[in-house]
Amino acid sequence: KLIAPLPLELSPSEEHCVLEHMDIFERNGFRFTYDPEKDQRHRLSVTALPHSGSGGDGRKAVQFGKEDVGALCAMLGADGTSSAEGYIAGFGSGADGSGMVGNNAVRRFAGLAGSHNGSSVMRLPKAIAMFASRACRGSIMIGTALSDKDQKKILNKLDGTDDPWTCAHGRPTMCHVSCLSKQLKDDDDELTLHDTAGGSSEDC
């Protein structure tokens, strides 16, 4: 929550968009006050902004600003030029909203048509990228030893996801392995041959 309301200067379409979709903005962490006595475009002020701290574990803190109001308005189909610069600034796939919208998670989940009509919430690409980045930081890495119980737990969780084959960034979560019987037999034969050759050398 902000110490003092932050006045906004929105286009008429953006202002209408915020009022029309107030529930979406609130579920994204925004709070507003509305003063009908003020001139159009200046009736809304931000009283709270979404914020995600670093958590003290090396993660980068992500701060959202009033430009993200314009970004979310644009995703909801509002027309307006007053927030165009902020829209570009807050629409990147980086965890801080910078960069291009190239992140797989951003392309899949941010601004999906109708996503706000169901159980999911329309999210800013900056937020989706932040969630994806933090999910990967706490993920199981290659080489991590897992017990049978842990392996089954992971498989059961993957089975309940829409796309179990890749992580949020599009990297594969598993690889398909063909039958290893022949490869293992070849390895055993090669090892046996090597041991036999070594033994003959010692006898000489």
Side-chain angles (χ1 to χ4, degrees):
K1 188 174 181 180
L2 302 178
I3 297 175
L6 184 64
L8 296 175
E9 184 176 353
L10 305 173
S11 71
S13 177
E14 288 173 328
E15 190 171 90
H16 175 75
C17 179
V18 174
L19 296 174
E20 183 75 13
H21 301 287
M22 185 64 74
D23 59 325
I24 296 176
F25 282 89
E26 289 184 349
R27 293 177 75 178
N28 273 276
F30 297 96
R31 297 293 185 275
F32 301 91
T33 58
Y34 178 73
D35 188 351
E37 300 299 322
K38 289 187 177 181
D39 294 334
Q40 194 176 28
R41 301 183 61 194
H42 301 275
R43 295 171 180 170
L44 284 168
S45 296
V46 177
T47 58
L49 290 167
H51 173 74
S52 178
S54 64
D57 57 358
R59 298 179 302 182
K60 185 176 181 180
V62 179
Q63 178 66 58
F64 295 80
K66 62 181 182 179
E67 67 274 4
D68 294 303
V69 175
L72 194 49
C73 282
M75 292 171 64
L76 290 165
D79 297 323
T81 56
S82 63
S83 299
E85 183 178 351
Y87 168 69
I88 295 172
F91 205 74
S93 62
D96 59 353
S98 61
M100 300 296 291
V101 188
N103 184 297
N104 283 356
V106 172
R107 291 201 303 269
R108 285 201 302 269
F109 299 114
L112 292 177
S115 63
H116 55 285
N117 294 326
S119 59
S120 59
V121 184
M122 179 176 282
R123 297 289 187 188
L124 286 164
K126 182 196 294 188
I128 295 295
M130 177 190 71
F131 295 148
S133 176
R134 294 187 174 179
C136 276
R137 283 189 176 273
S139 64
I140 298 168
M141 302 299 180
I142 293 176
T144 302
L146 298 173
S147 65
D148 289 342
K149 181 179 179 181
D150 289 335
Q151 294 176 49
K152 291 177 181 177
K153 185 177 180 180
I154 292 171
L155 291 175
N156 288 333
K157 287 186 175 181
L158 284 173
D159 186 51
T161 63
D162 293 332
D163 185 7
W165 312 114
T166 60
C167 74
H169 287 107
R171 302 184 183 97
T173 56
M174 62 187 78
C175 61
H176 296 278
V177 180
S178 60
C179 181
L180 297 178
S181 300
K182 185 178 184 304
Q183 181 64 49
L184 293 173
K185 184 178 183 303
D186 291 343
D187 289 345
D188 286 341
D189 291 343
E190 184 177 347
L191 183 60
T192 301
L193 182 62
H194 180 271
D195 291 342
T196 301
S200 299
S201 174
E202 290 176 0
D203 292 340
C204 294

